[in-house]
Amino acid sequence: MTILGDFKKFVFRGNVIDLAVGVIIGAAFGKVVTSLVNNVIMPPIGYLTGNTDFSNLKILIKNGTKPEDEVAIKYGAFIQDTVDFLIIAFCVFVLITIIGKLQRKKVTKEQELIPPAPPAQEVLLAEIRDILKSKPIV
C-alpha cells in the first residue's frame, strides 16, 4: 500500500475519529467550565474573602516599567486553574458513572432476553438421544 492509502486507513478508523470528536468536545467543555468558574463560582468566593480577585493574586519578584517586564509568581491564576480542573474532573466522573450505569442496565436487559443454558447433564442426555435417533432400528 502507499503512504497515502495507509494514512487514509489510519484516519478513518473508528478510534481516531472518536478521539478527534472527544478532543473537540473536551476543548469546548473546557471553555464552558472556565466561564463557569470565572463568572459564577469565583466572584462569590472573592466576595466572601473580601472582594479578592483570585486571578490577580501574585507575589511580585521584580517590578518592571511595563507589565511584560514584571516577574511574579501568579498563584491566583493557579488557584483559578485548580478550581477549573476540579470541576472538569468532577463532571467527567459523573458522566462516566452515568454511562457505566446505563451500560450495565443494557447488559442486564440483554441477558434477560437470552434464556439460560441448560445444565451439562441435560445437554449430554440430549446428545445421547440424538445419537440413538440417528441409528436405524434393528
Side-chain angles (χ1 to χ4, degrees), residues 10-78:
F10 169 76
V11 168
F12 289 110
R13 276 195 297 193
N15 294 343
V16 175
I17 293 174
D18 291 343
L19 178 63
V21 169
V23 167
I24 292 167
I25 295 294
F29 185 68
K31 287 182 180 182
V32 169
V33 170
T34 300
S35 176
L36 173 71
V37 170
N38 292 341
N39 300 321
V40 177
I41 294 174
M42 292 310 279
I45 292 174
Y47 175 75
L48 293 173
T49 59
N51 288 331
T52 303
D53 182 9
F54 282 89
S55 60
N56 293 328
L57 295 177
K58 60 186 170 188
I59 298 172
L60 192 60
I61 297 173
K62 177 186 169 220
N63 199 359
T65 55
K66 300 177 189 171
E68 58 268 5
D69 294 337
E70 180 180 275
V71 178
I73 298 172
K74 298 178 180 179
Y75 67 92
F78 177 74

Side-chain angles (χ1 to χ4, degrees), residues 1-12:
M1 257 199 200
T2 64
I3 292 177
L4 185 59
D6 289 342
F7 180 72
K8 182 179 175 184
K9 185 177 176 182
F10 169 76
V11 168
F12 289 110

Side-chain angles (χ1 to χ4, degrees), residues 72-135:
I73 298 172
K74 298 178 180 179
Y75 67 92
F78 177 74
I79 292 171
Q80 196 88 14
D81 291 340
T82 302
V83 171
D84 285 354
F85 169 76
L86 292 173
I87 291 173
I88 290 172
F90 180 73
C91 291
V92 169
F93 168 75
V94 169
L95 185 66
I96 288 174
T97 304
I98 291 170
I99 289 172
K101 286 182 181 180
L102 291 175
Q103 285 180 341
R104 275 185 252 138
K105 285 182 182 178
K106 181 181 176 184
V107 168
T108 56
K109 285 183 181 179
E110 288 174 359
Q111 288 173 344
E112 289 174 1
L113 297 176
I114 300 171
Q121 284 180 327
E122 288 184 24
V123 173
L124 183 60
L125 289 172
E127 289 175 1
I128 293 171
R129 180 199 63 213
D130 293 340
I131 291 171
L132 290 173
K133 279 184 180 180
S134 66
K135 292 190 175 194

